[in-house]
Amino acid sequence: MAIPKFETFTSGAVPVEVENIDTDQIIPARFLKATERKGFGDNLFRDWRYDASGQVVATFPLNDPRYDGQILVAGRNFGCGSSREHAAWAIADYGFRVVVSSFFADIFRNNALNNGLLPVCVEESFLREIFDEIRRDPHAQFTVDLDNQRFTIVSSGHSVPFEIDAYKKRCLQNGYDDVDYLVSISDQIRAYEASRR
Amino acid sequence: MGKTLLDKIWDAHTVRVEEGGRCVLYIDRQYIHEVTSPVAFAGLERRGIGVARPSQITATADHNIPTENQHLPIEEPQSRHQVEALAANCAKYGIEHFGVGNPRQGIVHIIGPELGFTQPGMTIVCGDSHTSTHGALGAVAFGVGTSEVEMVFASQCILQTKPRTMRITVDGELRPGVEAKDVILYIISQITASGGTGYFIEFAGSTIRSLSMEGRMTVCNMSIECGARGGMIAPDEKTFAYLRGRERASQGEAFDAAVARWRELYSDPDAHFDKEYHFDAADIAPMITYGTNPGMGMPIDGTIPATADAKALEYMGFKAGERLLGKPIDYVFVGSCTNGRIEDLRRFAHLVKGRRKADGVTAWIVPGSKGVEAQARAEGLDRILADAGFALRQPGCSACLAMNADKIPAGKYSVSTSNRNFEGRQGPGARTMLAGIAVAAAAAVTGRITDPRELFEF
C-alpha cells in the first residue's frame, strides 16, 4: 500500500524553538483512543496550542498567522518518549511533510519515515541559522531536496546535506511501504524459520 | 573480535540485510495492547492479508482500563471501544488475548515475564516504548510504532537498523535505602534524557548482578528514558531460577536444555562496545526528579541545579537552587511497568506497615497484573495497606499516562513510581516527581518530600 511519493519542494516553516519535545507534548495520551487513523492533526501540540480553558494560546507558533508551510522546525532531541506513532500521524495530518531538528529520538524517526514524513537532521549551528532566518522573515522559504539529500535556506542559498539510509530513501521516492516489501520476501522469511528448527 | 550479547541475538535473528544496512529482523514474540494495535489491524484489512504467526503474539488490555470496578463495563465510550476492538481483532485472527478480568491480564510488560513468555535470547517487540523491560531476562526487546506492529503481523519481521552498543557498568554495594529505581534514575541523570539515543544498552557490573529480577526489570524498563532503543542484562542463575516453572516457559528436560543454550548468552570478554560508562554504587542516593524529563533527577537531599531548565522549573513551580525536602505533595502513585511488580508492593507495604497515610494525600496503589494482585492478597499485603489507610486497586497502566480516570489534577504534585514526568503526562497540568518505592512511601505517610533514610530503618 503506497505512501505519498516524496518530491522536492520549497515552502515556509513553522518554528517551535523548544528542546526535548516528547511525544506526550506532540499528542497527549488522552487523544490516543481512536481506532482509526484520522483527525490526529487537530490535537497536534494540543496542550501548547490551547490553554486549560480551551482558549487558543496566540503566542504558540502554530497559532501565529505569520508562520505557514510544510516544514516544522524544532529544538534538539525531537520526538523522545513514548513510541506512539500517533505523534507522526498528527504532524503529517496537520500538513507537515518535513521535521527539521538537530537530533531525533530513534523510534520517532522510524515512525516518521514509515509515514512519508521526512526527518531532516542538521547541525545545531545550522538549526540556529534556520531559526534566525525565520525570526528575520517569518515567511522565509526553504527547499527540501530528497534526491540530492540537501536542505537549503532560499534567501542565503546556504545549503547542507542530510543523511537518510538508502532503503528508506528509495521507499520515500517511490512511495513504497515496508509491509508490502516484507510480504514480498515471505519465502525467505519462511526459509529462515525452517533453518532455526 | 568477540561479540556483544546484542550482536549474538541480533545476528541470529537477521533474515537479510538491505542496501544501506537495514536488517530484516525476525521477531520471536510480539506483545500487543489496545492503543497501538487497532490501526495496524485495519492496515491488514485494507491489504486483504492475515496475521502470519498468531501463536507468536500475546495480547492484553492495560492502557485504558479503570483500576476499580473492573467487573463493570468501562464507562468512557472511547476506551471501551478500544478495549472491545482488541478483543474482536484477537478473536478474528486467532491471537491469545488476556482481557479485563482474565486472571492472566495485566500491564503487557509485567505479564510477559511473569507468565514465562519472555525468555533469554529472544527478539521481542511491542507498540510501547517500555518494551525494553523484557531485556532484563537477556532478550533483545524494544518498542516500535504501529506501522512496525503491522509489519510483524504481516510477516513476523520488521526492518530495523542495528543500534550501536553501549555498556553501562555499575559496581559496588548499594547504600541502605537505595533501590533499583534509584540506580536507573541516577544513570539517566548522569547521561541525560538523550544520552542513549542510537544505542542499545547492556547493563553490567556487580551492582546490576546483585539486583533481583524485578529490580533488573525496573532498570531495563527505563532504558528508553535516556533515549536508548533498549536495555538488557545477560541471563544468569537468577534469570533461570525466575523462569523455572513459569506457565509458558518450557518444562522439565526441555527447560534444562534451554538453560544450556541460554548460558551462551553473554558478551565475550573481548567484545567491543561503541560506548562505555562506569558508575560506582556508593555514589547513588535515593533519587527524585525536579523537572519535566527523566534526566532531570537529583539525590533526594540535593538542591535543584543552578543550570536547570527554566521552562521545566516554571511548569513544576520550583526554583533553581532550592531543596525539595519538606515540600508538600498531593498524590502518590505506586505501580506501572516500572514499579508495579510484587517486590514493589512488598517493599511499599513493609515500609508503611504500622504507620498511617498522611491526611490530604491521595494514594493509588496499583498492581501491575492480576497475578501480582493475587499474590499481594495471598501474602496479606492488602490488609497491611488497608491498616495504614491505603487501598489496593486493580491492575492497569493507570496514572502513569492517565488514559483512564486516574488523572492527577492540574497544578497538583505527584510523587510517582512510574517512568515519565513529562508535562501533562499524569493529566493536563499535573506536576510529576519520579522516584522509587521508598521515597514514595515516605511521601505518602508524611505528606511531604521526605528522605526515606530519615524515616525508615534499612
Side-chain angles (χ1 to χ4, degrees):
Chain A
M1 221 159 29
I3 54 172
K5 286 187 188 181
F6 196 104
E7 282 160 9
T8 299
F9 72 95
T10 297
S11 142
V14 180
V16 181
E17 207 168 346
V18 178
E19 294 189 350
N20 298 309
I21 296 178
D22 59 78
T23 54
D24 274 85
Q25 307 319 312
I26 298 170
I27 180 107
R30 64 187 187 280
F31 300 113
L32 308 185
K33 297 189 181 190
T35 51
E36 291 175 81
R37 195 200 140 173
K38 61 179 186 192
F40 288 106
D42 292 344
N43 295 313
L44 174 65
F45 291 117
R46 177 76 195 197
D47 293 341
W48 288 356
R49 267 161 85 189
Y50 301 94
D51 68 15
S53 61
Q55 296 298 303
V56 169
V57 178
T59 52
F60 187 66
L62 265 67
N63 296 329
D64 187 329
R66 292 176 301 161
Y67 304 126
D68 187 28
Q70 299 175 314
I71 302 169
L72 177 66
V73 189
R76 75 181 301 284
N77 198 23
F78 185 83
C80 57
S82 156
S83 62
R84 62 189 70 164
E85 194 161 314
H86 311 67
W89 298 339
I91 295 169
D93 186 53
Y94 187 88
F96 292 114
R97 294 167 64 198
V98 169
V99 185
V100 182
S101 179
S102 55
F103 195 90
F104 287 94
D106 285 333
I107 303 180
F108 176 81
R109 184 199 296 264
N110 273 350
N111 287 343
L113 286 168
N114 286 335
N115 287 279
L117 178 68
L118 177 66
V120 171
C121 190
V122 299
E123 295 281 330
E124 188 66 36
S125 57
F126 189 74
L127 185 69
R128 290 217 192 85
E129 207 173 310
I130 297 172
F131 282 129
D132 288 344
E133 173 74 7
I134 301 171
R135 252 190 295 278
R136 191 185 61 74
D137 174 12
H139 303 291
Q141 298 287 299
F142 305 89
T143 299
V144 183
D145 178 353
L146 175 63
D147 298 335
N148 297 300
Q149 295 177 219
R150 295 202 79 84
F151 184 93
T152 306
I153 301 175
V154 172
S155 70
S156 65
H158 191 178
S159 176
V160 295
F162 60 83
E163 295 284 325
I164 179 170
D165 83 58
Y167 170 84
K168 269 296 166 194
K169 179 176 176 178
R170 207 168 63 236
C171 286
L172 288 182
Q173 286 171 320
N174 298 300
Y176 293 160
D177 167 295
D178 284 349
V179 177
D180 288 341
Y181 173 70
L182 288 169
V183 169
S184 78
I185 60 163
S186 56
D187 287 352
Q188 278 185 57
I189 296 171
R190 299 292 86 91
Y192 167 83
E193 282 179 325
S195 75
R196 295 213 312 163
R197 287 201 190 99
Chain B
M1 188 163 59
K3 286 179 134 188
T4 66
L5 176 55
L6 175 77
D7 293 332
K8 288 181 180 177
I9 300 172
W10 188 282
D11 295 352
H13 287 80
T14 299
V15 175
R16 56 173 282 162
V17 181
E18 301 302 325
E19 178 197 352
R22 284 208 169 214
C23 302
V24 175
L25 189 72
Y26 190 80
I27 301 303
D28 292 319
R29 181 148 300 274
Q30 172 162 241
Y31 297 109
I32 61 171
H33 60 81
E34 74 275 22
V35 177
T36 55
S37 63
V39 170
F41 280 117
L44 297 180
E45 194 98 343
R46 279 201 309 277
R47 292 172 205 272
I49 57 175
V51 171
R53 291 285 178 264
S55 66
Q56 288 171 237
I57 303 172
T58 305
T60 193
D62 56 5
H63 280 60
N64 261 306
I65 62 175
T67 56
E68 327 179 271
N69 296 318
Q70 288 186 347
H71 60 291
L72 299 176
I74 299 174
E75 277 180 33
E76 212 271 311
Q78 280 184 302
S79 294
R80 189 173 66 239
H81 181 61
Q82 255 190 353
V83 168
E84 287 170 355
L86 179 67
N89 280 320
C90 289
K92 179 176 175 182
Y93 292 103
I95 294 168
E96 189 170 29
H97 172 234
F98 305 133
V100 179
N102 186 301
R104 296 179 182 84
Q105 180 271 339
I107 303 173
V108 62
H109 309 309
I110 304 274
I111 64 168
E114 182 178 87
L115 296 173
F117 282 110
T118 295
Q119 294 170 19
M122 281 184 163
T123 48
I124 296 171
V125 296
C126 175
D128 189 286
S129 59
H130 295 111
T131 308
S132 56
T133 312
H134 306 267
L137 288 90
V140 170
F142 52 93
V144 296
T146 296
S147 293
E148 292 163 316
V149 172
E150 188 182 344
M151 289 176 209
V152 181
F153 282 163
S155 69
Q156 205 55 37
C157 288
I158 56 171
L159 280 150
Q160 203 75 190
T161 305
K162 189 176 177 182
R164 286 173 288 171
T165 53
M166 175 186 289
R167 180 162 58 189
I168 297 181
T169 306
V170 189
D171 277 316
E173 200 176 329
L174 288 173
R175 284 154 52 189
V178 177
E179 59 192 80
K181 182 66 164 287
D182 301 314
V183 174
I184 188 63
L185 284 174
Y186 173 79
I187 289 170
I188 302 166
S189 76
Q190 297 298 304
I191 74 173
T192 80
S194 61
T197 304
Y199 293 93
F200 206 99
I201 300 172
E202 181 176 342
F203 295 98
S206 64
T207 312
I208 301 294
R209 293 259 151 254
S210 75
L211 296 174
S212 65
M213 289 311 296
E214 284 86 350
R216 294 178 187 186
M217 287 184 231
T218 300
V219 169
C220 289
N221 172 272
M222 289 189 70
S223 306
I224 182 69
E225 307 312 337
C226 61
R229 266 337 280 281
M232 67 197 310
I233 296 170
D236 60 10
E237 295 306 323
K238 272 186 196 171
T239 319
F240 310 144
Y242 175 88
L243 276 171
R244 188 179 291 278
R246 300 231 167 226
E247 185 183 326
R248 300 304 175 97
S250 52
Q251 311 290 330
E253 282 179 22
F255 185 82
D256 294 334
V259 169
R261 290 194 305 276
W262 295 341
R263 286 188 200 282
E264 302 301 312
L265 297 171
Y266 53 83
S267 289
D268 295 329
D270 58 341
H272 168 77
F273 287 84
D274 297 309
K275 194 152 193 167
E276 294 235 34
Y277 286 100
H278 293 267
F279 297 109
D280 184 348
D283 293 337
I284 307 175
M287 297 286 292
I288 192 162
T289 64
Y290 56 82
T292 55
N293 76 47
M296 298 178 182
M298 66 178 197
I300 183 86
D301 56 352
T303 53
I304 298 174
T307 53
D309 180 72
K311 183 174 184 287
L313 293 187
E314 188 192 338
Y315 181 85
M316 292 299 293
F318 295 148
K319 294 186 191 71
E322 73 176 345
R323 284 169 170 269
L324 292 182
L325 281 181
K327 284 192 180 288
I329 59 104
D330 309 292
Y331 284 77
V332 170
F333 172 53
V334 174
S336 83
C337 55
T338 312
N339 277 124
R341 281 167 282 269
I342 187 65
E343 186 179 88
D344 301 310
L345 295 192
R346 279 185 198 135
R347 182 171 170 90
F348 187 83
H350 167 76
L351 291 172
V352 302
K353 187 175 184 176
R355 299 174 189 266
R356 288 293 298 175
K357 181 181 75 65
D359 291 340
V361 170
T362 302
W364 291 326
I365 316 298
V366 184
S369 69
K370 291 296 279 184
V372 170
E373 182 188 359
Q375 176 84 22
R377 292 188 190 282
E379 294 180 15
L381 302 183
D382 56 328
R383 290 192 301 278
I384 296 172
L385 290 171
D387 288 347
F390 297 94
L392 188 63
R393 296 171 79 92
Q394 291 173 301
C397 296
S398 182
C400 175
L401 81 171
M403 279 190 80
N404 70 351
D406 305 343
K407 292 177 171 57
I408 312 292
K412 298 292 185 188
Y413 287 100
S414 159
V415 174
S416 181
T417 65
S418 55
N419 42 57
R420 290 195 173 127
N421 51 356
F422 297 151
E423 285 184 28
R425 172 80 178 182
Q426 295 194 289
R431 292 159 158 173
T432 302
M433 291 172 274
L434 299 176
I437 295 289
V439 169
V445 298
T446 62
R448 294 177 181 279
I449 303 296
T450 303
D451 190 333
R453 297 167 299 186
E454 306 282 316
L455 193 64
F456 306 124
E457 297 240 348
F458 290 104

